[in-house]
Amino acid sequence: MSKLNSKPIITTDLDGVQCQFNPYFHEWVNKKTLKNLEYSNQTSFAYEDCWGETKEYWRNLMIQFCKEGNLVDLPIYEGGVKAVKELSNKYQIIAVTFRHPLNRDATLEWVGREIPEISDVIFEQDKAGFCKKVKAVAHIDDSLDCVRTFTDKTKAYLIDRPWNQSNKEPQYQRVDSWDPILSEFIYGF
């Protein structure tokens, strides 16, 4: 990890928050398998719950997708990238991702090209634990299961996506864009 600076820390997920992993993966799967996956129909992180097949089937497709180098071509979420640029003037921005460390080089290449304001990329399954360790003031994610783990001083934001609509819980703030995050952390209202 790069050296922490004196700025307060905000952490962000990558897939589903900064880059459009699922729509791009759906398009790739549709071409490879002749399936008809649609972004709006992904109501769970578990592909097998949305489109059948086995967990192993989807895992193998994901591995093939990554091995073919697709992670370096993922389209950005424009609002997330703009927000990180603005937030980086006052905060140190660290990406914390569930991605497998074998995808490190492709991930670092993508972040360096698309969002150089991100000071570090951490490959971590316990995002809440990492945020607690570095005393992050906020974490932005698209995983309902992930934001549920934030019980400490880090404020968790859940970016609305089709797969995280199953519950509305009070311990995190659900947002449909980065505007409320910028309002709080940049504009102070």
Side-chain angles (χ1 to χ4, degrees):
M1 185 167 91
S2 67
K3 187 175 180 183
L4 297 178
N5 62 40
S6 61
K7 293 179 182 177
I9 296 170
I10 292 178
T11 59
T12 179
D13 184 24
L14 291 175
D15 300 322
V17 177
Q18 297 299 333
C19 62
Q20 299 180 39
F21 180 90
N22 283 316
Y24 199 69
F25 180 65
H26 296 165
E27 182 181 310
W28 180 87
V29 168
N30 290 344
K31 287 177 187 171
K32 291 283 184 182
T33 66
L34 302 178
K35 289 187 177 292
N36 188 26
L37 308 186
E38 292 184 29
Y39 175 77
S40 61
N41 292 337
Q42 187 177 351
T43 57
S44 167
F45 265 127
Y47 292 107
E48 63 273 13
D49 292 346
C50 302
W51 296 295
E53 308 294 348
T54 65
K55 188 174 189 171
E56 187 69 17
Y57 172 86
W58 291 106
R59 183 180 168 284
N60 288 335
L61 280 176
M62 189 75 63
I63 289 168
Q64 185 181 354
F65 175 81
C66 293
K67 281 185 177 179
E68 289 181 11
N70 289 295
L71 291 179
V72 297
D73 296 324
L74 295 173
I76 63 170
Y77 276 115
E78 195 70 39
V81 172
K82 285 181 182 178
V84 165
K85 288 178 188 208
E86 194 163 345
L87 287 164
S88 70
N89 292 318
K90 284 180 68 174
Y91 298 90
Q92 181 178 3
I93 310 299
I94 298 175
V96 186
T97 181
F98 284 154
R99 285 185 183 179
H100 194 283
L102 291 175
N103 296 313
R104 181 178 189 77
D105 291 344
T107 301
L108 295 177
E109 178 183 336
W110 186 90
V111 168
R113 182 183 67 239
E114 300 292 348
I115 323 171
E117 295 80 8
I118 289 180
S119 65
D120 205 351
V121 179
I122 305 300
F123 296 81
E124 176 64 61
Q125 297 299 308
D126 180 8
K127 293 180 182 183
F130 174 79
C131 290
K132 182 177 182 177
K133 182 172 84 175
V134 298
K135 298 180 173 86
V137 296
H139 177 75
I140 299 89
D141 214 292
D142 65 318
S143 167
L144 183 58
D145 289 340
C146 176
V147 298
R148 284 178 174 150
T149 66
F150 283 79
T151 57
D152 206 5
K153 296 184 191 267
T154 303
K155 188 165 188 178
Y157 290 88
L158 182 68
I159 297 279
D160 262 332
R161 298 290 183 246
W163 50 86
N164 66 27
Q165 299 300 307
S166 65
N167 202 338
K168 314 282 188 200
E169 299 171 17
Q171 75 262 34
Y172 58 85
Q173 184 171 343
R174 183 179 287 273
V175 293
D176 61 1
S177 74
W178 281 79
D179 292 341
I181 298 164
L182 289 173
S183 292
E184 183 170 345
F185 289 97
I186 296 295
Y187 311 123
F189 54 84

